[in-house]
Amino acid sequence: MIDMSLWPPDWPRAHGEPRASGEFRMTPDDFLVEEVFDFAPEGQGEHLWLWIEKRDLTTPEAVKHVARVCGVRPRDVGYSGLKDRVAVTRQWLSVHLPGRDAPEAFRAQLSDVGIVVHDAQRHPRKLKRGVHRANRFTLRLSGEVASHPDLARRWRTLCEDGVPNYFGPQRFGREGRNLVLAQKAFARGWRKRDDPHGMQLSAARSFLFNEVLAARLRAQTWRTPRPGDVLALAGTSSRFVADDIDATLHERAARGDVTPTGPLWGRGRLESGAEVAAEETRLAMQHETLTQGLEAAGVRLDRRALCVPLDAPSLTHETSDRMTLGFGLPRGAFATSVLRELMHHPLL
């Protein structure tokens, strides 16, 4: 069992401890996230897709409001990504409305609860989870970090090398509560009706992945291919096992063309080989309650990149103690993992 009295774990940063503290997400307007898609609604079909901007609402809360206003069940509303409450989020939702339009006053009714509809387009299919390509973030930070001389060096290094792809603290809940619930659920036998959104399963997998990434960071191999590594090709879902590591592969990793991956635990055989597989298995077996619980729940083994690049990064100073960061991250990566490399904060 994980000793929750030691929460949060002391997972290492890529470039040592930050030298400054700062504040973020003091208000929803300080944390803007916009989903990026590779496609657009076709303009016809049974589903009405809504490009919304929500404020101070979780995605499930927004789904319930849209379902109520449009007179459908929440399960008839689709979304791609779950977004935080304390933020301004722009994302598509889909509503199954075959043969009818949304109520005439639906925009005004949604506006009353903090949801602005910027666009509405028809599409033949429901929006499914995880189909957006990336998220674009605009984050406002304040405090000593904004003027600290160490900031520029750290930001430049992250822009060049990428960021450790840790699952952020949101995945685990306040004081690791989702992980506590997962351990209790696995001890008695996980049941979907007790965890309908799979948050307990996600917390367990995320913790195990973070443990592997932390070990690679301590060994300074989180960006460096090792024999037996499963390498992901940048910008694709393709990956391959690297049995032989040569200078060419090291060069490709250095420029971000390929990156090592770590396991998202579940049923199945590890794709990795050699000492990489042995190390991943050893780390996982230190938490057998989680590994066995995930396997018993039927979760399938998968992989996740250990390093993610910052897309089109920008840094703008507003005042001596206030600045704005802009960057894109692949779907599933956490902006809080970027902030963790730049500053100290109790929630990071």
Side-chain angles (χ1 to χ4, degrees), residues 161-206:
D161 293 348
V163 180
N165 197 18
Y166 282 120
F167 286 96
Q170 308 97 300
R171 179 56 54 90
F172 305 106
R174 186 178 296 275
E175 298 179 348
R177 183 174 184 273
N178 292 337
L179 199 56
V180 173
L181 293 174
Q183 292 182 102
K184 292 180 178 178
F186 293 159
R188 66 172 183 268
W190 179 86
R191 299 176 301 187
K192 183 174 178 60
R193 67 174 178 266
D194 298 329
D195 184 26
H197 299 294
M199 292 303 295
Q200 296 165 11
L201 301 180
S202 294
R205 292 180 101 197
S206 300

Side-chain angles (χ1 to χ4, degrees), residues 66-283:
V66 169
R68 173 181 55 80
V69 168
C70 292
V72 301
R73 299 164 298 182
R75 70 182 184 183
D76 294 324
V77 179
Y79 60 91
S80 182
L82 287 169
K83 298 296 185 289
D84 296 337
R85 174 192 297 276
V86 186
V88 175
T89 303
R90 296 170 186 159
Q91 62 184 127
W92 283 107
L93 300 182
S94 70
V95 190
H96 192 211
L97 293 174
R100 67 183 179 95
D101 295 327
E104 184 175 342
F106 83 100
R107 290 176 185 263
Q109 292 174 9
L110 290 176
S111 179
D112 289 341
V113 295
I115 301 173
V116 177
V117 179
H118 290 294
D119 195 10
Q121 300 286 339
R122 287 278 177 173
H123 193 69
R125 291 171 295 281
K126 180 180 181 179
L127 178 58
K128 294 184 178 180
R129 291 288 301 273
V131 299
H132 64 294
R133 175 176 58 82
N135 292 297
R136 183 75 196 171
F137 296 91
T138 303
L139 310 181
R140 185 173 293 118
L141 312 183
S142 59
E144 64 174 334
V145 66
S147 58
H148 198 281
D150 187 47
L151 173 69
R153 178 189 64 83
R154 283 182 173 272
W155 179 245
R156 183 172 59 252
T157 303
L158 294 179
C159 293
E160 294 172 353
D161 293 348
V163 180
N165 197 18
Y166 282 120
F167 286 96
Q170 308 97 300
R171 179 56 54 90
F172 305 106
R174 186 178 296 275
E175 298 179 348
R177 183 174 184 273
N178 292 337
L179 199 56
V180 173
L181 293 174
Q183 292 182 102
K184 292 180 178 178
F186 293 159
R188 66 172 183 268
W190 179 86
R191 299 176 301 187
K192 183 174 178 60
R193 67 174 178 266
D194 298 329
D195 184 26
H197 299 294
M199 292 303 295
Q200 296 165 11
L201 301 180
S202 294
R205 292 180 101 197
S206 300
F207 176 83
L208 293 170
F209 174 86
N210 280 9
E211 288 281 283
V212 171
L213 175 53
R216 296 287 293 254
L217 276 159
R218 294 187 187 101
Q220 299 185 7
T221 61
W222 65 291
R223 298 178 61 244
T224 305
R226 299 166 57 195
D229 253 330
V230 181
L231 301 181
L233 289 169
T236 76
S237 58
S238 300
R239 55 189 186 234
F240 63 94
V241 179
D243 295 318
D244 299 313
I245 309 298
D246 56 18
T248 299
L249 203 54
H250 278 296
E251 291 172 3
R252 293 180 66 189
R255 66 173 181 262
D257 181 37
V258 296
T259 183
T261 64
L264 294 170
W265 204 263
R267 289 182 181 177
R269 287 186 60 184
L270 284 171
E271 296 175 48
S272 53
E275 61 186 42
V276 173
E279 180 178 296
E280 291 174 351
T281 301
R282 178 181 61 79
L283 289 168

